[in-house]
Amino acid sequence: MTLPSIEVARGLTGAQREAIADLERRVLVHDGGRLKLEWGVLGQRPPDEANDLLAWDGDTLAGFCGIYDFGKDPELSGAVDPSYRRRGIGSALLDRTLELLAQRGRRSVLLVAPRATDSGRRFAQARGATFDHAEHHMELEGQPTGPPEPRPSTVGLLVRPAIEADRATVVSLLEDAFGDGAAAFGATDPHDLALVVERDSAVVGTLRLSLEGNAAGVYGLAVRSDLRGRGIGRAVLYQVCLEARRRGAYTVTLEVEVGNDHALGLYTSVGFELRTTEDYFSLAI
Ligand SMILES: CC(C)(COP(=O)(O)OP(=O)(O)OC[C@H]1O[C@@H](n2cnc3c(N)ncnc32)[C@H](O)[C@@H]1OP(=O)(O)O)[C@@H](O)C(=O)NCCC(=O)NCCS
């Protein structure tokens, strides 16, 4: 049997996105859960950059692999149509993707494997990838729970858009919270708003809010380490969820690292519910 041919797309046309959405539907009917395809990102792929690999069998999209290059290591997310699995398509897509990333000088990647099925984990392990971490995907539908009790540290908190003068503080907050300041300002996605939290004229926290249609996402919420545990995170999240609703979002989603019980408790208290969990496997190129 011949393998489907792999197309390396630069930018994505509407037809290519529709084929990916159709593949996603077929995969979810079979596996459940969700695929972390970041539709906001797929809708804004720069036309001069190769980030998406599509395995075609005639007119049928048999597999897809997307490169999501926003942090330290690029993340790879994708899937193979259930009726095309175990024929080497996932391997061929991954090999071609790793080739591209090697040309860009990248040394390692993170494979995103949804827990709704075992196949991603088994595939990653068969490729010699090692478990890095796992993240819960959480969702708030409708109104956030609250408002939280005011506390001395939350009086006078102001959430405002970040400006260039905030850059150094935001990078240091993100470095401190996630060991990675590179994602600061999220300038790559036009749907993203970089926000800072101000108290007594000092920046004490940061987060990004992405708004697209009736869906919003919160990313990289970080509060200065000496001010944590005083209700600032909860107050900010509540305020930002209200603002997202005011701007037309019905759902707000976020991801939290498995094991970060403190953050999980905070999100649950604002009304977020656990939807799915994804494992991240690290693979050297
Ligand atoms: C993971 C996925 C992309 C693999 O695609 P695929 O085309 O079936 O993968 P391949 O045929 O190239 O498999 C390569 C090897 O991985 C391992 N593997 C893949 N799927 C497996 C499974 N369900 N059970 C056990 N081993 C598996 C095997 O060692 C396989 O080699 P073999 O078939 O010769 O034994 C596909 O199962 C899928 O779409 N899963 C749901 C989405 C997902 O998890 N994506 C994240 C990928 S990290």
Side-chain angles (χ1 to χ4, degrees):
M1 197 215 59
T2 53
L3 275 179
S5 61
I6 292 180
E7 175 187 10
V8 180
R10 289 177 181 272
L12 281 173
T13 64
Q16 285 167 327
R17 281 202 301 275
E18 187 39 54
I20 297 167
D22 194 51
L23 170 69
E24 181 182 33
R25 281 190 282 276
R26 281 175 272 144
V27 169
L28 297 190
V29 165
H30 184 267
D31 294 337
R34 72 151 190 170
L35 290 175
K36 197 176 175 222
L37 295 183
E38 311 278 11
W39 279 100
V41 176
L42 294 186
Q44 303 288 332
R45 288 298 207 191
D48 54 343
E49 224 182 81
N51 283 310
D52 301 291
L53 291 90
L54 297 90
W56 292 101
D57 181 21
D59 290 341
T60 306
L61 186 62
F64 168 73
C65 179
I67 301 172
Y68 300 86
D69 203 354
F70 359 79
K72 252 193 308 218
D73 282 332
E75 293 177 12
L76 304 185
S77 187
V80 169
D81 180 311
S83 57
Y84 283 87
R85 290 186 186 166
R86 303 302 290 272
R87 300 192 202 170
I89 297 172
S91 302
L93 279 167
L94 180 58
D95 288 341
R96 188 72 188 89
T97 308
L98 295 182
E99 240 174 74
L100 274 177
L101 289 170
Q103 285 161 9
R104 293 184 200 167
R106 306 311 296 248
R107 296 284 172 78
S108 55
V109 290
L110 285 172
L111 305 180
V112 185
R115 273 198 197 164
T117 153
D118 236 18
S119 57
R121 179 177 60 79
R122 288 175 182 270
F123 172 74
Q125 287 170 342
R127 296 293 310 228
T130 51
F131 178 77
D132 187 81
H133 71 281
E135 288 177 14
H136 292 311
H137 172 69
M138 305 188 76
E139 205 165 284
L140 169 75
E141 260 182 39
Q143 205 64 20
T145 309
E149 282 292 307
R151 291 164 67 172
S153 49
T154 62
V155 175
L157 277 184
L158 169 75
V159 180
R160 61 157 175 85
I163 54 169
E164 190 50 39
D166 299 319
R167 184 177 288 271
T169 315
V170 170
V171 169
S172 106
L173 283 166
L174 292 174
E175 284 289 351
D176 185 43
F178 307 110
D180 179 11
F185 283 70
T188 49
D189 188 338
H191 301 287
D192 265 22
L193 271 176
L195 302 172
V196 291
V197 184
E198 210 176 83
R199 185 171 159 254
D200 299 332
S201 308
V203 170
V204 299
T206 183
L207 74 158
R208 282 187 299 131
L209 174 66
S210 114
L211 279 161
E212 224 195 330
N214 60 4
V218 169
Y219 303 95
L221 170 61
V223 172
R224 211 173 74 193
S225 52
D226 57 317
L227 294 172
R228 291 180 195 158
R230 301 188 196 180
I232 294 177
R234 179 178 292 123
V236 167
L237 192 61
Y238 176 76
Q239 208 174 313
V240 167
C241 290
L242 280 188
E243 176 63 15
R245 272 186 71 75
R246 205 183 57 76
R247 295 185 183 217
Y250 182 69
T251 57
V252 185
T253 58
L254 54 77
E255 265 114 50
V256 54
E257 190 157 339
V258 172
N260 188 349
D261 294 340
H262 188 73
L264 190 67
L266 155 63
Y267 300 145
T268 311
S269 75
V270 180
F272 283 82
E273 289 178 5
L274 179 60
R275 290 286 187 262
T276 54
T277 305
E278 277 126 14
D279 290 315
Y280 288 70
F281 291 89
S282 174
L283 180 63
I285 300 179

